[in-house]
Amino acid sequence: MNLAQATRWRNRLAKLGTIASILFLVAVIDDVSARFGQPANLMRVLPGASVEIDGPLEEEVKRMEDLTYAASSDLLRLTFRSTHPGFWFGGFRWNGILAVSAELAPGEYSLTVSSMGKPARKPSSTFEIRVYPDADSYRRSSRSLIMRHLGPHPWWIVAICLPLIGFAFPGVFVLSRRIEELMAQSGKAVVYRVRETPEGMEISFGLGLRQGIQAGMRLKLLTEAGQPVGTVEVREATDTGALAVAPLEHAVRPGYIVSNPSTTPQS
């Protein structure tokens, strides 16, 4: 892979990673906003669906048989799966599967969970079950803008974007290192730090003693597009990098290129 190819692929991966990151953030914000905008005890379902449901307990329940529920329709069935300590707010919680019969008419229903022989005192123990007639009405009623206007749940976008981000940015890093190597072979390096001093613009770049750079040398300065700007004078050099000074009028910025005209390009 030559310099032009490596640069082209790095730019493509950088764009892919940026777009995927933006979509990822938008999807997460959309889903969180939708969740906070909806009551915690509201369950939105379709006839024939089964959904996970959980809620608080007044006290620890050691036997699942001690849990009971009352629903406003016999076509709503709740199967308790387990109880566990609350992660965020302490206390104890239960979880289960709510099965909605395909024969249940659209509308609003209620379901209350309690311990055997003890009434539910917490309002969050009572759930509002909202049944929609079809998938389209279910989607249009969502507080998620993505789901309402595009169709998929926001977490589908998150699931797609995560591997893209995980592929793109490491790829950018690997290709950037390869670009640095190829540029160094041609006696070039990108300016990665600029600091204004009384003597001029102090710049740092990745050419050093290994590439034949020494203090006192004058190197060419180019823009990101390769247009000549002027020259810089090397003040310090290490094995892998150097520090040089450019006149203030050059207005150097990170991304400019330093070139050693005495270097013979390697094929």
Side-chain angles (χ1 to χ4, degrees):
M1 180 178 289
N2 59 35
L3 180 59
Q5 291 171 331
T7 302
R8 183 165 58 251
W9 278 106
R10 183 189 63 178
N11 293 341
R12 289 174 178 174
L13 286 179
K15 290 180 180 178
L16 174 64
T18 300
I19 293 172
S21 297
I22 292 172
L23 292 176
F24 173 86
L25 289 175
V26 169
V28 170
I29 292 172
D30 180 70
D31 184 67
V32 171
S33 299
R35 289 177 184 272
F36 276 102
Q38 175 177 293
N41 60 344
L42 171 63
M43 303 296 297
R44 301 170 58 254
V45 293
L46 290 170
S50 294
V51 295
E52 293 188 9
I53 184 173
D54 70 277
L57 291 169
E58 300 289 342
E59 57 188 24
E60 183 178 8
V61 174
K62 296 183 178 180
R63 297 190 313 159
M64 300 302 297
E65 294 80 4
D66 291 336
L67 287 176
T68 185
Y69 72 94
S72 58
S73 171
D74 293 337
L75 298 179
L76 290 171
R77 294 188 177 275
L78 176 58
T79 302
F80 295 104
R81 296 197 301 181
S82 66
T83 61
H84 57 89
F87 183 77
W88 294 109
F89 304 107
F92 297 93
R93 299 183 67 83
W94 58 268
N95 68 73
I97 298 294
L98 174 66
V100 182
S101 171
E103 300 177 359
L104 185 62
E108 295 189 0
Y109 302 85
S110 64
L111 180 144
T112 301
V113 175
S114 60
S115 298
M116 192 74 71
K118 297 181 180 180
R121 294 190 295 271
K122 291 186 177 181
S124 52
S125 298
T126 299
F127 293 85
E128 178 186 349
I129 313 298
R130 191 171 296 171
V131 182
Y132 294 87
D134 50 51
D136 187 58
S137 60
Y138 176 86
R139 176 183 59 80
R140 286 188 284 106
S141 69
S142 174
R143 290 182 177 271
S144 163
L145 295 176
I146 292 176
M147 191 171 180
R148 190 189 312 162
H149 297 289
L150 299 180
H153 193 282
W155 283 106
W156 278 108
I157 297 178
V158 170
I160 293 171
C161 288
L162 268 179
L164 292 179
I165 294 171
F167 168 75
F169 289 121
V172 169
F173 175 77
V174 171
L175 288 173
S176 294
R177 295 295 298 271
R178 179 56 178 162
I179 289 170
E180 290 177 1
E181 294 173 359
L182 292 171
M183 290 183 69
Q185 291 173 10
S186 300
K188 296 180 180 180
V190 174
V191 174
Y192 62 81
R193 187 178 70 86
V194 178
R195 185 171 69 94
E196 186 174 336
T197 69
E199 297 180 346
M201 304 296 292
E202 187 179 85
I203 64 173
S204 301
F205 50 93
L207 289 179
L209 298 173
R210 292 178 182 175
Q211 291 79 35
I213 303 300
Q214 296 179 356
M217 291 182 64
R218 299 195 69 85
L219 308 176
K220 290 183 178 180
L221 181 65
L222 315 172
T223 65
E224 297 97 325
Q227 298 297 320
V229 174
T231 60
V232 299
E233 182 179 348
V234 179
R235 294 296 173 85
E236 300 175 12
T238 64
D239 284 345
T240 58
L243 184 148
V245 175
L248 289 172
E249 60 266 21
H250 287 349
V252 190
R253 60 175 179 263
Y256 273 33
I257 298 171
V258 172
S259 174
N260 182 5
S262 64
T263 300
T264 300
Q266 300 181 20
S267 57

